[in-house]
Structures are given as C-alpha cells and as structure tokens.
Amino acid sequence: MERLTGIGVSPGVAVGPALVAIQRTQVLRFPVGPDGVARELSALERARQRSHSQLEQIRRRIAAARGADLAAIFDAQLLMLDDPILVGRAAAVVRNERVNAEWAVQRALDEAAAVFDDIDDPYLHERKGDLHDVAGRLRMNLREDKGGARDRLQDLDAPCVLIADELTPSVVAQLDWTRIKGFATDAGSRTYHTAILARSLGVPAVVGLHDVSRRVPPGASVIIDGETGDVVIDPTPALWQEAEGRATVSRFAIVAPEESGPLQTMDGHPIVLHANIERSDDVPSALGAGAQGIGLYRSEFMLVGGPPDMAAEDEQYHVYRQLVERMEGRPVTIRTFDVDERQLARPLVDAALDARWFPEPQRSGHAGLRGVRFGLAQPRIFKTQLRALLRAAAHGPLRIMFPFVSSVQEVRDARTLLLEARQELTSRGIAVPEVPVGIMIEVPSAAFTASLLAREADFFTIGTNDLIQYTLAVDRTDDRVSNRYEPLHPAVLRLLRQVRRAATHEGIPVSVCGEMASDPLLLKLLIGCGLREFSMTPGAIPMARRVVRETSARQMVRVATRVLTLGTVEEIERYLEDEIAKNEVGSEG
Ligand code: PEP
Ligand code: MG
C-alpha cells in the first residue's frame, strides 16, 4: 500500500482499478485480462502485417517513380519492423505487464530510442527518425484495428479511476464518464480547467501529485479522496471496504445526449456547436454527440494509408461528397490540406501519415511551407483538391477553408487558383455552385490584419491551437516553455476580441475551432467575448452543450470586459474562477 497526497480539487471518494493515461505520447495504458493478452498480441501481429504491406507498397511505388536509392529508406524501415527490438519487445511487454499493445509499442520505442541516443554515430541518429516512423505506423494500424480510446474503455470490465500525467479538455471529452469514478493527475496546482472540469463533472479529483502516473501500475486498486487530496495505491482490504462505503455517485455523466437541436445560453443567445473531424466515418459520432454541422474537416487525414492515387480528383470528390451527404443538409467546412514542408520531400500520401502520427502540438509546431503556402507552392495538387471540393459542393452546403493564412495576398492568390479550378470544371461541362470561401485565423499576422482579411473572406475560423503558440512564441513540444502556453494570456484574448470585432464589422461569420473551445471555463469566456459558433472534437460537444445552457451571456460579457483589463494570467484565472463559482452557487441556491 502506498499513500500520496496532492491537492483535492473536487470533493468525494472514488475507488476502482486504475486506467492510466499518458498524454505526453497520446497513448492510453490500460490493463488487460488473460483473454485480453491474446487479443492484444494478435492485434499487434495484424498491425505488423498491415504495416509490412503498406511499406512494401510505398517502396515499390518510390522505386518506380524515383529510383532504387530512395526506396532503400523503406528497406531500413522494413528491417526495423521485423526486428525483435520493436514488435518482439512490445509483445513481451504485453505478456509480462498485461497491458494494451499500443502502449507496449510506445514503451518498446522509448527503450530503443534511448539506445540510439547513447550511440555517438550520426548515421544511427538519423535512423531514430525511421524508428519513430515505424512505431507510428504500427500504432496507427493498431488504432484502426481497435477504434479509439473510448472504444477501448468499453473493454474494461469494471468502472475505473483515471490516473493521468495531465488532462486536457479534448481527452477528458473523449472519455466515458459513466465508467470513470474519479481522477488523479501529476500536473495541476489549482489549475483552472482541471478543477472546474472535475467539479462540473461531479467526480472526485486530486491534482498536483507529480508522479502518480508513474507510480500506479495499470489495473492497481486505487482510492481517490478529493476532499483530503489523498490517493491510496493498493489499499488494505479494510481501507478499501471503508472507502467503498463512502464512494461518491457522480452527479453527472458525460454521455452522448439524445437531443441535438438548437442550443442557447441561459439568457437566450443562440449558440452553434459543430464538430472537428478527420474522416467521414466520424460523422455518426459527431451527430450522436449533437453536432449541428462539421466546422473543421482536416482533409489531410484523408490521405492516410490510402492507395497512391488517393489524392486524385475523383477519389477526393467521392470522399467529400460522401461526407456532405452523410451530414444530410447540415453545413460542412472542409479545410484544404494542412501539410508542411518536411513532408514535401516525400510523396504526398506518405506525407500525411506524419500528420497522423505526431501528437497534435508537434505536428502543428511548424512554421514552414504549410497550409495555404503549401497549396500555392504546389498549384497542381491544390487545384486538384479545389476541383474535387467544388464538385462535391453540388451535393450539399459545403464551405472551403484555407489553413495557415498569413496575408491578404495569399488569400487573393488562393482565390485565383480556385477560380482557375472552377473554369477547368466549367470547360468540362460541369456546373459548379457558389461556394463560401473562408480562412483560418491561426497566425498572428492574420489576426492583426483581420479587418483587411474580412473583406477577402466569406468567413473566419479561429484556430486557437496555432494562434496561441505563435502569438506567445511557445513551442508546446519544448518542456522548458510549454507551461507558458496560456490561452488566457492577455495577448491571446485581445487578439480574439479583435478578430471577432473585425468579422462583425464586415458582417461575416466567425467561429472558434481550437481546443480552447472545449474547455468549459474558456468556452464561457469566449461567449463573453461575443463568439457564438464553436467547433470541437465530437466527444466535447455534450459537455459544451451543458456548459452553454448554464451560461449567462450577459454575465460573461461583463466578466470578459473586466478580464480584458487584467494584466496577468494568474489574475485572470482567479477572477474567472471566482465569478464562475459565484454563478454556480447562485444557480444551485
Ligand atoms: C488550430 O490551429 O487551432 C486548429 C484547429 O488546427 P490544427 O489543430 O489542425 O492545427
Ligand atoms: Mg492549426
């Protein structure tokens, strides 16, 4: 038995086996039973075989297009895939520790990468990238096989307690809180979102435990006491029994709501909630969660693992058309490929794989030839996509959106290519409807010139994930500064207000599609800043609906006005927490 003490941020007691989620690598670690071990091992083998044939296919294609030298890169990857260092070691981890295969692959990768690090040889250092690629491909194939974190959670026999290094809103939103009795995290002092989130979910929570995610073995029995801040690992039977008697029944559970109709704040302001998705297969979960449309379709994901001609116009057209049709008349905003220069050196189909493998902050951490810049530099690829989009627009309300815009000139140039794409279709005898063309505001230069850009675009979507990191010059992958990634930084809030005002002034719609919108507290503040449309990961929508209904827009406008006069993140956080807490007490009373 071991007792750790952190900061209790949401009262109540939770008991159960531990589900350990490590966000750093975006991999969930969870225990599997004896049957589960065999299942995980065969999933691992299937993923290996699938990865093998994908790599073979890529190698053949590259050999044909670019010659044998370049293709040899993939020989190295094939060898790694068959080397016991990765898959063999992962299988051993599954067997010995009785954990899921995806986690085991991550563990094998970390160990192998550490060995490469220790060897002072530039050639081997370069091979580390290949190792990451191969492990990424394996994990991708494992995920395809077994579904997302939420599906995996359904495999657990009993409800559990969640132990995590940190909890970001998007992960919280993916989880099925009917099965999670409470949570404990390494991170967090009085971190606003974790505390508010726990209270809003009505689940016991302890934060600021520093290394609880390393100390708790997956599946271990854990007691979380959100009042005292105690977390007990492997308690005595007597303690367990006593805690079970005090265990809290969660006040709320986030489950997909049955309702999905129009939504408004407590004081009657209409709010629109759309979903961010990557595949048209995500449509049922978006609709099930209550999405009123698709606010961001990350089209680059469409290229993942597909056949080489996946990016052909007809293939794309079918994907977009299917998406629009599945949404049955609801609006769909498709973002053109947001791939970057590192990926340009490789064939496009493989390029997009990187986007899938890298954790979110990492893949959006590049300021090179990406987004609309990529499109302008590769007009053939860009126009192929634009033609496919224009054709699909005949089947439903589709909007085209350019990512990573940083100047008016780029928008004009992109629109010129769009016009050419339209003319090419017309000359083929294909009629094309009018399609709204919007831009993502995710680069500070775009935010600063929002009033000029608003005259060039039919709508704005604010991508706070990138906007925050570029405004604050914080690379989220760099541990030394990642704690400075502050959505509540006064600079970020001022920019958001400026963009919203520019859009209102020109009479164009503006929405927010970054992760910021799926944090309950920040969502309230965004409503206070005058924003009314949001797009988020489907899992976050049920919670956001509840937050919206419990929010007074009038109160939040007053709060936001005051927030914008405060100088530090800490002051803003404290003020917001106090105001929201007053409101919570007020509405309960
Ligand atoms: C963003 O930058 O906020 C955004 C939604 O785009 P992505 O996360 O795909 O970079
Ligand atoms: Mg972005």
Side-chain angles (χ1 to χ4, degrees):
M1 177 173 118
E2 185 178 9
R3 185 185 294 267
L4 307 174
T5 303
I7 307 158
V9 291
S10 179
V13 173
V15 297
L19 171 78
V20 183
I22 306 294
Q23 277 232 192
R24 181 179 55 80
T25 50
Q26 312 251 314
V27 181
L28 277 186
R29 178 175 70 181
F30 64 87
V32 294
D35 295 352
V37 169
R39 211 173 45 225
E40 293 297 314
L41 288 175
S42 40
L44 182 61
E45 178 52 22
R46 275 198 301 279
R48 192 191 64 76
Q49 285 172 9
R50 210 180 298 169
S51 304
H52 209 281
S53 50
Q54 286 163 358
L55 284 170
E56 286 278 12
Q57 196 189 14
I58 293 169
R59 192 182 54 141
R60 272 199 301 277
R61 203 169 69 239
I62 292 188
R66 312 260 185 106
D69 283 358
L70 207 58
I73 294 175
F74 293 93
D75 285 332
Q77 293 207 0
L78 279 161
L79 285 173
M80 282 176 187
L81 189 62
D82 293 332
D83 194 297
I85 192 175
L86 203 57
V87 180
R89 173 67 187 138
V93 172
V94 170
R95 265 193 300 268
N96 299 340
E97 299 182 20
R98 294 199 167 175
V99 288
N100 53 315
E102 201 182 330
W103 168 261
V105 167
Q106 182 64 31
R107 167 77 86 76
L109 169 70
D110 287 345
E111 289 173 6
V115 173
F116 277 57
D117 276 343
D118 284 347
I119 302 169
D120 196 14
D121 179 327
Y123 175 79
L124 282 180
H125 275 285
E126 264 180 42
R127 297 281 73 80
K128 209 172 101 176
D130 285 322
L131 194 64
H132 276 274
D133 268 8
V134 175
R137 185 177 292 278
L138 272 169
R139 278 176 28 202
M140 176 186 81
N141 283 319
L142 275 166
R143 279 182 201 173
E144 306 262 288
D145 200 48
K146 306 237 358 243
R150 200 186 166 103
D151 296 345
R152 283 143 183 269
L153 205 55
Q154 311 299 334
D155 293 347
L156 294 177
D157 295 335
C160 56
V161 296
L162 180 65
I163 308 291
D165 50 353
E166 59 171 318
L167 274 184
T168 57
S170 63
V171 165
V172 165
Q174 309 283 341
L175 297 167
D176 176 355
W177 289 92
T178 54
R179 290 174 154 254
I180 295 177
K181 299 298 164 200
F183 66 81
T185 60
D186 296 346
S189 43
R190 270 172 28 90
T191 5
Y192 59 93
H193 68 248
T194 314
I196 296 273
L197 213 53
R199 286 202 292 274
S200 142
L201 291 163
V203 298
V206 177
V207 304
L209 288 147
H210 305 298
D211 57 358
V212 68
S213 70
R214 277 198 297 276
R215 282 175 183 261
V216 176
S221 300
V222 174
I223 300 173
I224 290 177
D225 189 330
E227 197 82 58
T228 61
D230 282 344
V231 172
V232 184
I233 308 166
D234 283 332
T236 59
L239 201 56
W240 176 263
Q241 215 176 357
E242 184 269 337
E244 254 185 338
R246 292 192 294 134
T248 317
V249 178
S250 92
R251 191 157 52 97
F252 293 109
I254 295 185
V255 284
E258 46 312 320
E259 35 96 36
S260 60
L263 178 68
Q264 55 183 37
T265 59
M266 214 158 82
D267 52 346
H269 291 262
I271 300 286
V272 174
L273 294 186
H274 286 177
N276 295 346
I277 64 169
E278 283 87 40
R279 302 174 311 154
S280 58
D281 287 352
D282 297 332
V283 164
S285 64
L287 292 177
Q292 293 157 292
I294 300 301
L296 169 65
Y297 176 76
R298 293 181 164 105
S299 68
E300 62 275 11
F301 281 70
M302 186 192 79
L303 304 166
V304 173
D309 54 356
M310 187 64 178
E313 182 187 319
D314 276 354
E315 297 292 339
Q316 291 194 51
Y317 161 68
H318 287 299
V319 171
Y320 305 142
R321 177 179 169 173
Q322 190 187 42
L323 171 62
V324 168
E325 287 177 347
R326 284 183 167 184
M327 286 304 290
E328 297 173 340
R330 298 176 188 86
V332 174
T333 303
I334 300 183
R335 170 172 89 178
T336 55
F337 299 144
D338 191 8
V339 282
D340 84 17
E341 68 180 338
R342 288 171 322 131
Q343 301 159 338
L344 272 178
R346 302 165 64 182
L348 186 59
V349 173
D350 307 320
L353 291 172
D354 280 349
R356 177 92 175 229
W357 293 347
F358 285 118
E360 191 87 7
Q362 226 167 315
R363 68 183 177 80
S364 54
H366 302 282
L369 193 58
R370 65 172 272 202
V372 75
R373 302 171 185 178
F374 168 87
L376 297 175
Q378 298 278 332
R380 194 182 53 79
I381 294 174
F382 194 41
K383 278 205 287 177
T384 302
Q385 182 173 32
L386 294 175
R387 284 194 307 274
L389 287 166
L390 290 172
R391 284 170 61 191
H395 301 278
L398 183 156
R399 307 194 303 176
I400 295 176
M401 178 161 72
F402 301 135
F404 218 66
V405 166
S406 58
S407 71
V408 165
Q409 190 61 51
E410 281 170 352
V411 183
R412 291 187 186 162
D413 291 345
R415 275 192 178 272
T416 302
L417 291 177
L418 183 64
L419 193 64
E420 286 176 24
R422 175 181 288 277
Q423 283 160 353
E424 284 160 16
L425 290 174
T426 318
S427 66
R428 279 199 241 151
I430 300 174
V432 179
E434 278 310 311
V435 180
V437 177
I439 58 174
M440 287 196 68
I441 304 287
E442 51 185 344
V443 176
S445 61
F448 281 119
T449 52
S451 57
L452 301 173
L453 286 164
R455 298 180 202 147
E456 313 277 333
D458 300 321
F459 64 93
F460 281 167
T461 297
I462 307 176
T464 49
N465 303 344
D466 279 322
L467 186 61
I468 295 168
Q469 72 171 341
Y470 292 115
T471 299
L472 304 181
V474 168
D475 177 354
R476 285 219 274 170
T477 62
D478 186 336
D479 289 346
R480 295 162 305 173
V481 293
S482 57
N483 62 345
R484 292 172 189 259
Y485 181 92
E486 309 267 27
L488 288 178
H489 191 293
V492 173
L493 300 179
R494 280 172 155 63
L495 278 185
L496 288 170
R497 180 176 59 176
Q498 191 171 324
V499 174
R500 203 275 300 154
R501 282 183 175 167
T504 308
H505 189 257
E506 284 302 319
I508 62 167
V510 54
S511 65
V512 176
C513 73
E515 189 165 313
M516 191 171 172
S518 53
D519 183 307
L521 188 65
L522 303 183
L523 177 58
K524 281 172 179 278
L525 183 61
L526 290 169
I527 292 173
C529 291
L531 289 148
R532 296 290 180 266
E533 275 184 40
F534 306 94
S535 190
M536 58 192 67
T537 181
I541 293 175
M543 180 162 64
R545 288 187 75 93
R546 202 175 67 224
V547 170
V548 166
R549 282 197 301 262
E550 291 172 357
T551 297
S552 151
R554 225 180 72 192
Q555 182 213 3
M556 287 317 299
V557 168
R558 185 179 55 72
V559 169
T561 307
R562 169 99 178 104
V563 158
L564 280 151
T565 66
L566 300 174
T568 72
V569 173
E570 216 185 2
E571 283 168 10
I572 293 174
E573 249 172 55
R574 188 158 310 139
Y575 172 69
L576 266 179
E577 278 189 15
D578 289 349
E579 285 298 313
I580 307 282
K582 263 194 240 166
N583 191 39
E584 275 172 9
V585 171
S587 62
E588 273 165 22

